Amino acid sequence: MNAGFWHSVRWGSETRTTHCSEGEAGHNVQPEGKMEDTQRSQPISTKLRLIAEQAAHYPGRVFTSLAHLIDVELLREAYRLTRKDGASGVDGVTAAEYAERLEENLAGLYERLRTNRYKAPPVERAWIDKEDGSKRPIGIPCFEDKIVQRSMSMILSAVYEQDFYDCSYGFRPGRSPHQSLRELREMCYKTKTNWIVDADVSGFFDNLDHGLLREIIKQRVNDGGILRLIGKWLNAGVLDGEELHHPEKGTPQGGVISPMLANIFLHHVLDEWFETVVKARMKGRVFLIRFADDFVIGCELEYDAHRIMEVLPKRFNRFRLSIHPQKTALVEFGNPNSQRRSGNSKSTFEFLGFTHYWSKSCRGYWVIKRKTAAKRLRRAMKLLWRWCHYNRHMSLSEQHRILSLKLRGHYQYYGIRGNYKMMEALMEHVERAWQRWLGRRHRSGYISCEKFLEIKQKFPLPTPRIYQTV
């Protein structure tokens, strides 16, 4: 026998004996000796890479020993990757305060995790405006809890990134919303898409079933320490004002671990089912593009699109989720030159904040273009108008600095080819709002155009710019 060794690996519902080399072994089981000490002496990237290699080489393997990888080194790396400018949670500890005694805090955190004394604190609830005027709840975890969630996400990512399909783009390393927009347009051309299933999952993050989520995770990661930590986060409770709630389902939006749990759940519920079951039963070409819980399905044939519309709610109902009947629609989206296009139905759809539509290019060809969705533009205008109103007494230089940051942030996301006019409309709206509320600082209640022009010359707002060529 060479330098490798034999160990038992749980494979699906069976237990098989598998031969591994020294480079592969040690993450699924801990053989006798000092394997744990050996692992801790390895760089974090090496440990995670070895897990990823095992997950890729053995797609049926169930990992049963991963929690021991959460050590001080991994927590330190998780701290480095965690945003430091976020709001503090229920304990009020900021990132700067935590960093003052970083090594001591990380050592204490590791000891609590190692001895199973770590208690997940409640998540503080905040509310943000939605496009329809309602409120969306988001969760604000404590900074230390973000570090633990980040370390858990790193381990789960090493395993599940080998399983996730290319159709999934949300909150994955090396992937972005603009990549999904590019792929969506290319797939529409490639498959000669004529129909789009524009689906919406009703309150996904609020209705995710805890029991089903744990069962799905166990199919790939059946580690008691990992499952206990996830259970602590799911049951930690939500502090809304002074009232503490313990929801029986859902995962807070805003939590570091929530996007990973959502991707794991929807990989099983939607992606895998679509790639392995749905595609084989379609008569024409179909594709799926998903970003977190937002997804669209393209179909070449109308018959296939109607079949998907029929089975999609049934599939989600099996996992105690529902497809929103009013926000889910079948959209005729074929090339206007195609003889199949009836021209009698809605021919646009929204995805990731953009309205997708057919239009002629400068050379006279029909192409798919994107522009800022009307409700997203209205929301941005409303929020910026309100900001100018409530912050009109700030100094001009400070107002200019913050408005410039807000506009640049908008341009960086919405700055794609064909969308210049929509960004220009926002900039003009901001200028009107700024002039209006600066005028309220004067006794007359307004500011002349000549005076405001002088202000703009001294404090010019950033002009729209195309950042993304998707």
Side-chain angles (χ1 to χ4, degrees):
M1 184 183 299
N2 61 15
F5 61 91
W6 292 91
H7 71 275
S8 295
V9 179
R10 183 175 176 185
W11 198 296
S13 59
E14 306 176 59
T15 299
R16 300 183 180 179
T17 304
T18 307
H19 182 266
C20 294
S21 66
E22 286 182 341
E24 290 177 330
H27 295 286
N28 218 27
V29 295
Q30 290 184 43
E32 336 153 351
K34 300 182 179 179
M35 177 58 65
E36 186 174 349
D37 294 335
T38 302
Q39 287 174 332
R40 287 183 186 169
S41 65
Q42 296 172 331
I44 294 169
S45 58
T46 301
K47 290 189 277 189
L48 297 181
R49 178 175 56 80
L50 291 175
I51 295 173
E53 288 176 356
Q54 289 190 58
H57 293 160
Y58 306 104
R61 173 174 294 178
V62 178
F63 290 82
T64 57
S65 182
L66 293 174
H68 65 276
L69 294 173
I70 303 180
D71 54 17
V72 175
E73 287 78 11
L74 185 65
L75 291 172
R76 188 181 295 111
E77 179 66 10
Y79 164 81
R80 187 185 68 83
L81 296 174
T82 301
R83 287 184 56 181
K84 312 299 190 295
D85 57 349
S88 58
V90 295
D91 61 359
V93 178
T94 64
E97 293 170 341
Y98 196 85
E100 290 175 359
R101 303 169 64 184
L102 179 61
E103 293 304 320
E104 182 181 343
N105 287 332
L106 292 180
L109 175 59
Y110 166 68
E111 189 62 25
R112 280 179 282 141
L113 288 167
R114 186 184 68 82
T115 57
N116 198 27
R117 291 185 292 111
Y118 180 76
K119 293 183 179 180
V123 175
E124 185 175 358
R125 173 166 287 174
W127 298 88
I128 60 174
D129 294 326
K130 294 179 65 175
E131 293 87 349
D132 58 4
S134 61
K135 301 284 187 178
R136 179 194 300 275
I138 61 170
I140 305 175
C142 297
F143 182 76
E144 184 175 68
D145 200 44
K146 291 179 184 179
I147 296 175
V148 185
Q149 291 188 31
R150 176 71 62 190
S151 63
M152 175 70 73
S153 182
M154 292 164 68
I155 293 174
L156 293 178
S157 179
V159 175
Y160 282 100
E161 275 299 315
Q162 321 313 314
D163 300 345
F164 291 156
Y165 288 93
D166 289 339
C167 63
S168 169
Y169 286 86
F171 307 103
R172 293 180 58 190
R175 290 177 168 243
S176 70
H178 297 103
Q179 289 177 337
S180 65
L181 292 170
R182 180 187 296 111
E183 182 67 10
L184 172 57
R185 185 174 65 174
E186 293 305 316
M187 289 301 294
C188 284
Y189 292 146
K190 183 179 179 180
T191 62
K192 300 188 185 310
T193 294
N194 290 290
W195 297 87
I196 291 287
V197 178
D198 184 10
D200 183 271
V201 184
S202 297
F204 171 77
F205 285 94
D206 296 329
N207 294 297
L208 191 149
D209 187 271
H210 294 174
L212 288 174
L213 174 62
R214 280 192 286 265
E215 290 303 314
I216 290 172
I217 293 175
K218 282 183 182 180
Q219 296 176 19
R220 194 65 158 130
V221 177
N222 194 9
D223 182 312
I226 297 289
L227 295 172
R228 275 194 300 273
L229 261 179
I230 293 175
K232 288 179 179 181
W233 287 318
L234 294 177
N235 298 309
V238 177
L239 186 64
D240 192 354
E242 297 183 355
E243 191 172 352
L244 181 63
H245 303 277
H246 291 275
E248 296 181 356
K249 57 184 179 179
T251 177
Q253 296 188 60
V256 177
I257 195 66
S258 295
M260 173 57 68
L261 298 180
N263 274 335
I264 293 172
F265 196 86
L266 288 172
H267 166 76
H268 179 81
V269 174
L270 179 62
D271 303 353
E272 190 173 43
W273 169 73
F274 184 85
E275 295 290 337
T276 60
V277 177
V278 174
K279 278 188 173 181
R281 288 166 169 76
M282 297 293 102
K283 293 185 176 181
R285 290 172 291 184
V286 295
F287 69 87
L288 165 71
I289 300 292
R290 180 176 68 82
F291 193 95
D293 62 329
D294 195 2
F295 67 93
V296 294
I297 299 173
C299 303
E300 182 181 11
L301 302 179
E302 183 179 2
Y303 174 78
D304 292 339
H306 283 289
R307 288 188 66 190
I308 291 174
M309 283 287 288
E310 182 181 352
V311 301
L312 200 59
K314 298 177 183 177
R315 174 66 181 178
F316 276 81
N317 287 341
R318 285 183 56 189
F319 296 91
R320 299 170 191 171
L321 292 171
S322 60
I323 298 295
H324 200 295
Q326 279 76 43
K327 295 182 180 180
T328 300
L330 182 59
V331 179
E332 188 177 12
F333 197 70
N335 189 317
N337 278 338
S338 172
Q339 297 299 317
R340 299 176 184 177
R341 180 77 174 267
S342 68
N344 297 323
S345 60
K346 177 184 175 184
S347 58
T348 66
F349 68 93
E350 293 182 6
F351 183 62
L352 297 183
F354 290 92
T355 298
H356 300 249
Y357 63 101
W358 284 93
S359 181
K360 284 193 174 183
S361 67
C362 296
R363 298 183 179 181
Y365 299 108
W366 284 102
V367 295
I368 297 173
K369 294 186 177 182
R370 286 74 52 92
K371 62 181 180 180
T372 308
K375 59 184 181 181
R376 293 293 184 94
L377 183 61
R378 286 196 300 270
R379 182 178 69 176
M381 288 180 170
K382 180 179 178 181
L383 291 175
L384 286 166
W385 184 279
R386 187 180 299 170
W387 188 92
C388 291
H389 178 191
Y390 291 120
N391 297 278
R392 62 187 184 273
H393 296 300
M394 282 184 177
S395 66
L396 278 174
S397 59
E398 186 65 9
Q399 287 191 52
H400 171 258
R401 185 185 68 82
I402 297 177
L403 282 176
S404 296
L405 287 175
K406 291 179 179 293
L407 283 173
R408 288 194 188 97
H410 184 90
Y411 298 158
Q412 286 171 4
Y413 183 77
Y414 290 100
I416 67 174
R417 289 181 297 179
N419 196 37
Y420 188 89
K421 288 185 178 180
M422 301 296 280
M423 294 188 293
E424 193 175 43
L426 179 66
M427 187 194 71
E428 292 172 353
H429 175 83
V430 170
E431 288 182 345
R432 289 194 297 270
W434 202 20
Q435 181 179 3
R436 164 74 179 274
W437 294 111
L438 283 179
R440 292 299 182 95
R441 299 180 3 163
H442 295 268
R443 183 177 301 176
S444 61
Y446 72 94
I447 188 171
S448 67
C449 294
E450 293 78 11
K451 178 64 176 177
F452 185 65
L453 182 59
E454 293 177 8
I455 293 175
K456 284 202 303 179
Q457 290 173 347
K458 186 176 181 180
F459 300 103
L461 293 174
T463 56
R465 177 182 168 189
I466 303 300
Y467 284 88
Q468 309 290 340
T469 57
V470 297

